[in-house]
Amino acid sequence: MVRPGDVGDEGVAARAGGRLPGDPVPDPGLGDEAPPPGPPPRRRTGYGRAFVHALPVLLIAVAILYDIFTPRYFTAGPLYTAAPLVAAPLYSRRGTALTGVAVVVSVIGLQLGKGVIHYVDSLTELITIATVAVLAVIVNGMVRRSSERLVSVREIAEAAQRAVLPEPAERIGGFEIAVCYEAAQADAFIGGDLYAVQDSARGVRLIVGDVRGKGMGAVAAVAVVIGAFREAAEQEATLEAVAQRLERALAREGTRRDGLDAFEGFTTALLAELPHGDGTVRIVNRGHPPPLLLYPDGTLDTLPARESALPLGMGDLGVWPDRAEEADFPGGATLLLYTDGLTEARDARGEFYDPQTRLAGHVFRHPVTLLNTLAEDVRRHSGGGMADDMALLAVRRPRRGDHDHCHET
């Protein structure tokens, strides 16, 4: 499963001038987003973290120099008290305690050297600094317990993601599969976007969807849609019947919930079916962004719905039969399904991300490479601030003779 920060086999992070992997020449469209020359952002971030980590030691050193080179009635007490407090959230309990001891010893030594340790003001300063050092150790313990709880919450969130959005196999029914999920909220693992892949007697069936709303209500809706899809994909004879099954599942769940626990109102979804041994793809679009079809020569097509349809869960506003639309899906081509978090990502000028323009003319040997590159390019375009969750699902139909390369990344 592709996760945030992963890098494909082409070395996305080392792209020159913002070029995508496989570019024979610089691409003007991507060049607009190229970072300026200089150290990469990760290195600058590393220097910043190193400085913050060394800050308690620097504060002690500056305080000592200040006391040495100023008259005896001058004091660096604020710097001494700041050192253990800064160390508390950064260091271990032992490191915080050692910082406090170093501060107290330094103050005692300098007061003895200046001959002021017997003064009331100096004694008060020493007691204050020692008290702050003890409090810093207590604060460190509280921070450590909070960090342990946060780790536990993250582990639970990861487990929930694996349960609700399980990672599909890299190869299903002869197709190469890759998925990517990026939540807009920092450190979040799951939201209202969904994807699933299910092999069946009638072909490999896929779904990518976006539930209206956020929070646990959206997660509950995701679980309902995924569960209903897996069951329907195995049992229903047509893709249209799968869509109707999902409609009924959401309607049934909506009647079960009321009040503050009201169920999410609707879900945009795109369902696709890849018949075995047939170079076609069938699509039912329920108010979702159209998929892209990337060909082996770098060209691509958008597969828009010829007839509009309401999202899932809005059947009470109108009823008409779903109609699957069919398109060619030749060997070597890749089908890209995504949620609107991709197209709603904005840059500093407020311009939306256009995957059709950004991917045109580029060739990707494996879906993993495509999604790694795409996710990195979106992060660069938006400056790392996503406005909405983003789910990506890429499926490649291998050409004859290239099965040995299906696991290249």
Side-chain angles (χ1 to χ4, degrees):
M1 183 175 182
V2 184
R3 296 189 181 278
D6 291 347
V7 178
D9 63 333
E10 303 293 335
V12 174
R15 296 185 293 183
R19 292 162 56 194
L20 288 172
D23 288 345
V25 294
D27 185 289
L30 291 175
D32 294 339
E33 303 300 326
R42 290 182 181 178
R43 185 174 299 176
R44 290 198 294 271
T45 302
Y47 290 154
R49 290 180 179 177
F51 172 77
V52 172
H53 197 75
L55 189 56
V57 177
L58 294 176
L59 288 172
I60 296 174
V62 171
I64 291 174
L65 292 175
Y66 182 88
D67 273 342
I68 291 175
F69 293 104
T70 57
R72 64 181 185 180
Y73 49 83
F74 283 77
T75 176
L79 297 177
Y80 288 120
T81 55
L85 291 177
V86 173
L90 299 176
Y91 295 172
S92 64
R93 181 176 299 176
R94 180 181 179 184
T96 303
L98 289 176
T99 301
V101 170
V103 166
V104 172
V105 171
S106 298
V107 172
I108 292 175
L110 289 166
Q111 289 183 354
L112 287 173
K114 288 185 175 184
V116 298
I117 194 171
H118 58 282
Y119 291 165
V120 174
D121 290 347
S122 298
L123 182 60
T124 301
E125 179 186 55
L126 179 60
I127 294 174
T128 300
I129 292 173
T131 302
V132 171
V134 173
L135 291 176
V137 175
I138 297 174
V139 170
N140 175 268
M142 297 173 62
V143 170
R144 287 174 61 86
R145 285 192 293 273
S146 298
S147 299
E148 291 171 356
R149 287 195 294 268
L150 179 59
V151 170
S152 177
V153 170
R154 288 174 62 88
E155 291 176 348
I156 293 172
E158 290 178 349
Q161 184 191 40
R162 288 192 296 269
V164 178
L165 293 178
E167 177 182 351
E170 294 181 3
R171 194 174 181 86
I172 299 176
F175 296 93
E176 298 165 7
I177 310 289
V179 295
C180 174
Y181 190 100
E182 293 207 10
Q185 185 178 356
D187 296 325
F189 289 90
I190 189 171
D193 289 6
L194 61 96
Y195 55 76
V197 183
Q198 185 73 33
D199 198 4
S200 71
R202 296 163 184 85
V204 176
R205 288 173 169 173
L206 325 165
I207 184 173
V208 166
D210 185 358
V211 174
R212 182 192 66 84
K214 303 291 183 183
M216 293 307 299
V219 175
V222 168
V224 170
V225 173
I226 293 295
F229 170 77
R230 294 197 177 280
E231 182 179 356
E234 288 275 1
Q235 299 175 357
E236 299 294 344
T238 66
L239 197 61
E240 295 89 337
V242 174
Q244 290 299 315
R245 186 86 162 260
L246 300 182
E247 181 75 44
R248 293 193 297 271
L250 285 174
R252 182 171 57 250
E253 190 68 15
T255 60
R256 192 176 66 85
R257 297 169 180 254
D258 54 15
L260 295 178
D261 195 32
F263 203 61
E264 301 300 330
F266 63 85
T267 300
T268 68
L270 189 137
L271 294 90
E273 182 180 85
L274 310 174
H276 297 298
D278 184 2
T280 62
V281 54
R282 300 190 185 103
I283 295 172
V284 170
N285 192 328
R286 282 299 201 97
H288 199 77
L292 297 179
L293 189 59
L294 289 73
Y295 296 100
D297 61 357
T299 60
L300 61 83
D301 283 334
T302 304
L303 304 180
R306 289 188 289 269
E307 295 185 14
S308 301
L310 291 174
L312 297 170
M314 300 183 68
D316 55 339
L317 299 181
V319 179
W320 59 85
D322 288 295
R323 293 184 176 86
E325 300 176 3
E326 189 170 297
D328 292 333
F329 187 20
T334 301
L335 184 68
L336 175 63
L337 287 67
Y338 57 90
T339 58
D340 58 9
L342 175 66
T343 53
E344 292 181 357
R346 300 192 188 198
D347 62 10
R349 299 184 298 271
E351 295 181 1
F352 291 106
Y353 187 87
D354 184 357
Q356 186 171 1
T357 301
R358 311 283 288 195
L359 295 174
H362 303 290
V363 178
F364 304 93
R365 293 179 296 174
H366 192 275
V368 170
T369 309
L370 167 61
L371 298 194
N372 281 331
T373 303
L374 188 57
E376 178 70 18
D377 196 47
V378 173
R379 285 193 293 269
R380 180 176 288 112
H381 178 85
S382 62
M386 301 286 291
D388 195 4
D389 297 345
M390 179 180 71
L392 307 172
L393 191 157
V395 183
R396 180 177 180 269
R397 181 188 294 275
R399 289 176 292 193
R400 291 184 179 180
D402 64 357
H403 296 282
D404 294 336
H405 305 289
C406 66
H407 295 292
E408 290 185 15
T409 57

